[in-house]
Amino acid sequence: MWGKLYRPANLEPGRKYPIVMFVHGAGYLQNVSKRYPVYFREQMFHNLLVEKGYIVLDLDYRASRGYGSAWRTAIYRQMGYPELEDYVDGVNWMAANHQGDLKNVGVYGGSYGGFMTFMALMREPEMFKSGAALRPVTDWTTYNHEYTANILNTPDLDPEAYRKSSPIEYADKLRGHLLISHGMVDDNVFYQDSVRIAQRLIELKKDHWELASYPLERHAFVQPESWYDQYRRIYQLFERTLK
């Protein structure tokens, strides 16, 4: 598995560094290659985090392009499962090899990365202490079926695959700190996804979560003020919970 590691040039002996895991979007992208990344804002943010004392890992988890058909199809009927195993392995690798602090692990990403942030916080709550889910899918039954049907079949034929793969089904397991961020006119992952999980968290009386809504934004933000507000919130979340 390939990844991008962001860390200080010289780690201080004996020091443990909080870990931030980044999850790329779309599920099928290949984000790790010898070229300038699609996620240039995130790369700048990761370098900022390094300056502030974090170590960051960006993985091409299972289902990412460029690693063969078995890798690409590993998530069939179980979205969020093999990928999360890869991220757990990544966290443990950071702890074993780069002085990562297993007690202070955060995760964030947008779209599919937002979905995976939910899965990390809700299915591995002992490992992931905080996370930012940006424009996230919370229930695959309401997403674009041209995308999901290739992976989960259809809800009427395979309801168990959708139940297993949808974060809203695990909301009761949330223990960490969660930031949900979503553009209100998103025409890819609809804003209703974040509204529905917010309502579920209210019903469950969960604490330590917030929903940041952006009235002018679609799936990809265009307003500089929105980008600033979102990254400011992510940074403050990690500063507040991982140090």
Side-chain angles (χ1 to χ4, degrees):
M1 185 190 313
W2 292 94
K4 294 179 182 176
L5 172 65
Y6 300 80
R7 46 154 280 185
N10 297 299
L11 297 174
E12 298 178 16
R15 177 179 175 182
K16 293 291 186 181
Y17 292 79
I19 298 169
V20 171
M21 304 293 286
F22 170 68
V23 193
H24 70 66
Y28 55 80
L29 292 181
Q30 181 182 7
N31 196 43
V32 181
S33 61
K34 293 182 179 179
R35 58 176 168 78
Y36 199 67
V38 174
Y39 290 96
F40 63 92
R41 295 181 185 87
E42 287 81 355
Q43 178 162 300
M44 291 188 289
F45 182 56
H46 297 163
N47 282 291
L48 170 66
L49 289 176
V50 170
E51 291 178 5
K52 300 299 184 180
Y54 299 84
I55 52 176
V56 183
L57 185 60
D58 169 3
L59 290 178
D60 272 345
Y61 49 85
R62 268 175 286 179
S64 301
R65 278 179 182 158
Y67 303 90
S69 61
W71 190 265
R72 180 72 185 96
T73 59
I75 62 170
Y76 178 61
R77 300 190 69 239
Q78 55 174 358
M79 295 167 79
Y81 275 72
E83 313 97 296
L84 184 54
E85 291 175 5
D86 296 339
Y87 269 72
V88 169
D89 287 346
V91 170
N92 287 324
W93 179 80
M94 294 279 271
N97 295 280
H98 297 282
Q99 299 175 218
D101 185 356
L102 284 175
K103 295 181 179 179
N104 289 294
V105 181
V107 58
Y108 88 101
S111 197
Y112 201 92
F115 152 71
M116 281 301 303
T117 295
F118 281 137
M119 295 298 265
L121 286 174
M122 295 172 182
R123 293 195 52 247
E124 290 288 346
E126 294 184 3
M127 173 170 282
F128 294 93
K129 192 174 180 180
S130 63
L134 320 175
R135 51 197 180 277
V137 174
T138 64
D139 184 349
W140 289 108
T141 64
T142 60
Y143 190 62
N144 181 343
H145 288 304
E146 290 183 1
Y147 177 94
T148 53
N150 290 323
I151 307 171
L152 302 179
N153 302 310
T154 59
D156 57 331
L157 294 177
D158 202 348
E160 176 59 22
Y162 281 80
R163 186 205 64 77
K164 183 176 182 179
S165 303
S166 296
I168 200 165
E169 302 290 342
Y170 306 97
D172 61 313
K173 304 296 194 298
L174 179 66
R175 296 204 326 241
H177 298 255
L178 170 64
L179 165 65
I180 307 168
S181 168
H182 213 137
M184 295 179 69
V185 288
D186 192 332
D187 52 4
N188 181 340
V189 179
F190 296 153
Y191 181 63
Q192 70 174 9
D193 273 69
S194 289
V195 171
R196 286 186 60 208
I197 204 161
Q199 178 59 32
R200 184 67 183 130
L201 295 174
I202 292 168
E203 292 167 357
L204 292 166
K205 299 181 175 65
K206 292 295 181 178
D207 200 359
H208 308 305
W209 66 274
E210 61 179 309
L211 170 60
S213 302
Y214 298 87
L216 302 180
E217 300 295 356
R218 298 185 184 276
H219 199 59
F221 287 7
V222 295
Q223 303 291 330
E225 297 82 4
S226 299
W227 282 114
Y228 171 78
D229 185 82
Q230 179 175 255
Y231 279 107
R232 176 173 57 89
R233 290 175 185 272
I234 300 169
Y235 174 69
Q236 289 176 345
L237 171 71
F238 291 150
E239 285 286 286
R240 186 170 67 249
T241 61
L242 302 182
K243 288 185 173 180

